[in-house]
Amino acid sequence: MLRLTASLHRAVQIRPAHPAVIFGDRRWTWTEFTDRVARFAAVLRQLGVKPGDRVAMLAHSSDRYLEFYYGTMWAGGVIVPVSTRYALPETAFLLNDSGAEILLVDDEFSAQVAQLRPLAPGLRHVIFTGEGTLPAGLLDYEALLRAASPCEDAGRGGDDLAVLFYTGGTTGRSKGVMLSHANMHINSYNSIIHCGLRDVVGLHAGPLYHAAAGSRVFTNSILAGTHVLIPRFTVPALLRALHDHRITMVSMVPTMLTMVLNEPTLDSYDLSALELIGYGGAPMPPATLEALMRRLPHVRFSQAYGMTELSPACTYLDPLDHTLEPGVAHRLASGGRAALGLDVRIVDAEDREMPRGEIGEIAVAGATVMLGYWQQPELTAQAIRNGYMHTGDLGYMDDDGYVYVMDRLKDMIVSGGENVYTVEVENAILKHPAVRECAVFGIPHELWGEAVHAAVSLKDGAEASAEELIEHCRQLIGGFKIPRSVEFRTSFPLSAANKILKSELRKPFWEGRARSVN
């Protein structure tokens, strides 16, 4: 049975004194880290956590975030990472929907607890993992660990639920994506094989509430490598960590890589230990990728395409595919080929496989497909049909099996690697008393890939500025979902069913481009 905590047992056996986790001045060997995990698991059991119970964390990346991952599973629980970019109502919804009764917070988010408690009445305990003074009413993480004795691993694995990663929804309600121990294990094995990984010193540069960053946790641990963490991504923090810790592998979204490429001090850092850069989360502009390959000729590159519901990867553009040789360089614009053990197809509206080169929906079957959406069986049935997860992405497959993503069937924007479902933004805008109608869609952005844009019509006699609507949204939804631009219209193009034609609204912004997504 595939069990995510098994990698810790193995790491202690084969590399007991090897550095497991580095965060700032704190360093833990595999023996020390596993002991802390087992102590935290004991704490959770003392607080009433039973097999299958959910435990949430709202914090920036740290060594304690990794202990939350493994300690929760060691106790038999289910990990529920909370986006640090959520607005308060979104965090409260996640806690209520998941049924998490225990929440971990750091310094930055401890101030939200007083506001959260009345909004999430099921919350029984809040544990403070920060560095500052213990806030009133919260439990001290380190004191709890010191008082606890290590407990036995609960031994959950296989198809047991391991993690709920929350993602936006086309209905306006966020969805908890249920991923099992086996889901995450198979994804990690594919990453190891396709990227050619062995011993790694891996930097976690992305937020650990993301499936892409979270999956790397399991990959590094399976290899008994070293986890290095920075609290949050900034270019200087990333480059300093690469330099200081002799990082061999890091994963980033294209926006982050663009920022690194444009950093004027890049050449002043020693990146000679860096062997592999993984990327994904959004389409990579080929020109940016080519520039990176020329700037860092000693580094191998690997792309993973997928979605949270696929644990999260379904195709890989392997390092050997990253070449500028004529005749094959065009593959840099693809998402690669099906990961081992997965069946990736391009299908039409009736789920019939499309001929090579023709555009249809990308559908995936295999061991990394999610268990389903938490407490949303109807949405699960809509997404997983005939055994295939329907991604909502439109693309084609060439004669050699390379998949090219061209557009989106679902109403979603990817901005800086974050998924934004437009109905969530529209629902927020429509709560403003001056707004009559609105349509939200993505427009090209040089750095973020896509930016959130809103077209709005106001009620007769009402007034509202773009700035006012943006500030209104800020109180209801996470900052990454807020419109970056607003246009005011007196009318909208409508379909025969009187629905707003977003395709017509988007068209002027995307004219002259090879694909309709960035």
Side-chain angles (χ1 to χ4, degrees):
M1 179 172 67
L2 296 173
R3 181 162 48 100
L4 290 170
T5 52
S7 60
L8 272 60
H9 296 284
R10 176 178 179 270
V12 170
Q13 290 172 355
I14 69 172
R15 308 183 93 174
H18 187 77
V21 181
I22 298 172
F23 177 72
D25 294 331
R26 293 199 291 265
R27 293 171 177 254
W28 307 109
T29 65
W30 278 110
T31 298
E32 293 167 334
F33 175 69
T34 303
D35 177 74
R36 288 175 62 83
V37 163
R39 289 175 185 273
F40 178 55
V43 169
L44 292 178
R45 288 182 184 171
Q46 291 165 11
L47 294 176
V49 171
K50 303 179 297 299
D53 284 356
R54 281 74 59 204
V55 180
M57 186 161 189
L58 173 59
H60 293 296
S61 298
S62 70
D63 50 345
R64 291 165 185 162
Y65 212 124
L66 296 191
E67 292 164 9
F68 154 70
Y69 262 55
Y70 281 105
T72 299
M73 293 187 295
W74 196 284
V78 176
I79 307 160
V80 186
V82 185
S83 172
T84 58
R85 303 181 72 179
Y86 274 175
L88 188 68
E90 295 172 306
T91 300
F93 170 84
L94 182 151
L95 294 174
N96 291 326
D97 187 68
S98 68
E101 297 181 349
I102 296 176
L103 173 68
L104 285 73
V105 296
D106 64 7
D107 300 86
E108 183 166 335
F109 299 98
S110 60
Q112 290 189 12
V113 173
Q115 296 170 284
L116 270 176
R117 286 193 185 276
L119 298 175
L123 200 56
R124 293 190 297 113
H125 302 289
V126 180
I127 301 173
F128 178 65
T129 66
E131 311 296 334
T133 303
L134 177 69
L138 274 59
L139 301 175
D140 185 287
Y141 182 82
E142 288 297 333
L144 291 171
L145 259 63
R146 285 193 298 271
S149 298
C151 69
E152 291 295 317
D153 187 348
R156 280 167 59 88
D159 288 333
D160 289 333
L161 180 60
V163 57
L164 281 179
F165 283 117
Y166 272 77
T167 182
T170 53
T171 62
R173 174 188 173 186
S174 292
K175 303 170 296 197
V177 177
M178 297 190 291
L179 300 178
S180 69
H181 285 256
N183 285 153
M184 302 307 295
H185 248 293
I186 298 300
N187 178 78
S188 291
Y189 291 152
N190 263 327
S191 178
I192 290 166
I193 293 168
H194 285 280
C195 299
L197 299 177
R198 287 186 64 83
D199 189 16
V200 297
V201 180
L203 175 63
H204 298 290
L208 292 177
Y209 62 77
H210 255 303
S215 67
R216 285 294 178 195
V217 170
F218 304 124
T219 302
N220 284 12
S221 295
I222 286 172
L223 292 167
T226 300
H227 299 272
V228 180
L229 301 104
I230 53 177
R232 66 191 86 178
F233 170 80
T234 67
V235 175
L238 172 93
L239 293 175
R240 175 53 59 189
L242 294 175
H243 176 104
D244 289 349
H245 299 293
R246 305 290 292 166
I247 300 297
T248 63
M249 190 270 176
V250 64
S251 293
M252 288 181 270
V253 299
T255 296
M256 296 160 71
L257 284 168
T258 299
M259 295 168 71
V260 170
L261 184 63
N262 294 333
E263 171 57 42
T265 65
L266 177 59
D267 292 334
S268 66
Y269 293 89
D270 179 7
L271 307 185
S272 60
L274 188 59
E275 298 173 6
L276 179 75
I277 292 177
Y279 63 94
M284 168 69 87
T288 301
L289 180 56
E290 290 178 22
L292 283 163
M293 291 168 63
R294 296 184 190 281
R295 188 75 177 270
L296 301 170
H298 70 288
V299 175
R300 297 180 299 126
F301 289 83
S302 176
Q303 178 186 183
Y305 158 75
M307 59 193 306
T308 303
E309 290 87 339
L310 295 171
S311 304
C314 65
T315 69
Y316 281 90
L317 190 69
D318 294 352
L320 290 177
D321 286 318
H322 285 74
T323 174
L324 300 176
E325 293 181 12
V328 292
H330 64 277
R331 291 174 180 165
L332 295 177
S334 79
R337 298 193 279 193
L340 293 174
L342 300 188
D343 180 5
V344 178
R345 298 185 178 186
I346 310 298
V347 299
D348 65 12
E350 282 74 43
D351 281 350
R352 295 173 299 205
E353 189 167 7
M354 302 287 287
R356 296 289 186 263
E358 293 193 17
I359 293 177
E361 185 176 8
I362 302 168
V364 183
T368 64
V369 174
M370 67 174 179
L371 299 176
Y373 293 119
W374 176 256
Q375 297 182 334
Q376 298 195 66
E378 291 183 1
L379 279 181
T380 300
Q382 292 172 20
I384 304 175
R385 306 191 303 273
N386 301 319
Y388 285 80
M389 176 68 207
H390 289 63
T391 66
D393 285 338
L394 296 174
Y396 69 90
M397 184 182 291
D398 69 14
D399 291 335
D400 296 309
Y402 291 85
V403 175
Y404 294 77
V405 181
M406 302 303 292
D407 204 346
R408 295 191 186 95
L409 190 61
K410 56 192 175 187
D411 232 354
M412 189 181 79
I413 302 162
V414 178
S415 183
E418 295 274 14
N419 291 349
V420 179
Y421 286 83
T422 59
V423 68
E424 295 182 83
V425 188
E426 290 164 352
N427 286 346
I429 294 173
L430 288 168
K431 288 180 180 177
H432 192 284
V435 175
R436 181 178 62 193
E437 287 182 296
C438 71
V440 172
F441 51 94
I443 62 175
H445 190 279
E446 185 176 345
L447 178 59
W448 304 111
E450 297 172 18
V452 181
H453 179 78
V456 175
S457 68
L458 300 178
K459 295 175 182 177
D460 292 342
E463 294 184 359
S465 66
E467 293 75 18
E468 181 182 342
L469 294 180
I470 289 170
E471 185 57 33
H472 163 78
C473 289
R474 198 178 304 280
Q475 308 307 313
L476 300 172
I477 54 177
F480 64 97
K481 304 176 186 179
I482 295 169
R484 294 297 181 262
S485 54
V486 178
E487 64 173 283
F488 292 94
R489 304 176 62 95
T490 57
S491 64
F492 288 95
L494 301 175
S495 69
N498 289 316
K499 292 185 177 181
I500 295 175
L501 290 171
K502 290 188 185 179
S503 57
E504 293 299 312
L505 295 173
R506 292 176 83 242
K507 190 180 295 183
F509 295 97
W510 292 91
E511 282 180 348
R513 294 174 178 264
R515 59 190 181 197
S516 297
V517 291
N518 272 347

